[in-house]
Amino acid sequence: MRGLIIVFFIALLGCYSPGPGFSGSPVTRVSHGGYEFSLRRSGSFVQIIRTNFLRRPDINLIGSSAEHVVEAHFGCPAVKMRGDVAMMVAQIDCSRAVVPGQSAKWVAPRRSVASCVGQIFGSTGGSRADFEVTCF
């Protein structure tokens, strides 16, 4: 039971951890439109993590708010955005000025070619287990 609790807390910490390429970046916490975000910048990319709880999040409202926060904080327009209601990555272009009313291009998430589901079958004696994987 203690091991399960430790695994749960490690998984919970992973929800707020910076993604690849953002681990050494300082974090900035900002609020806008009722949403709370943590921003981390690495070069021309900004990772945006929404940190407040929402019962029914709307990607259109959250994405618009996140884009506004990035442009206001860094002073550069977001040219591309991708992600979901919890975490987004924006590409910014600081060689251009922010144009009010102009929004970033949203890039569709990459889909994997194969999805796999696994299942463990235990034996009646308890000494052996079989693992089965189905990919589609």
Side-chain angles (χ1 to χ4, degrees):
M1 181 65 172
R2 185 181 300 181
L4 183 62
I5 292 172
I6 291 172
V7 169
F8 172 75
F9 281 114
I10 290 173
L12 190 61
L13 288 173
C15 294
Y16 183 64
S17 297
F22 296 97
S23 60
S25 304
V27 64
T28 303
R29 290 174 180 79
V30 293
S31 296
H32 180 265
Y35 307 114
E36 297 173 13
F37 300 104
S38 291
L39 306 176
R40 288 181 174 89
R41 181 177 177 181
S42 178
S44 63
F45 292 95
V46 179
Q47 181 184 53
I48 308 113
I49 300 175
R50 184 182 50 81
T51 57
N52 61 326
F53 173 78
L54 295 174
R55 187 171 289 257
R56 296 182 66 186
D58 181 357
I59 186 63
N60 296 318
L61 297 174
I62 295 169
S64 175
S65 187
E67 184 176 344
H68 174 78
V69 163
V70 167
E71 292 178 346
H73 183 73
F74 295 106
C76 307
V79 291
K80 288 185 185 176
M81 300 262 309
R82 64 179 163 83
D84 57 29
V85 295
M87 186 184 81
M88 293 159 268
V89 175
Q91 182 178 0
I92 58 176
D93 184 1
C94 291
S95 66
R96 301 182 348 191
V98 175
V99 178
Q102 186 176 14
S103 59
K105 176 186 175 192
W106 277 84
V107 179
R110 288 181 266 171
R111 301 284 183 212
S112 62
V113 177
S115 295
C116 298
V117 176
Q119 191 170 5
I120 298 174
F121 300 97
S123 65
T124 56
S127 62
R128 181 175 167 220
D130 293 323
F131 183 71
E132 180 180 302
V133 177
T134 305
C135 296
F136 46 93

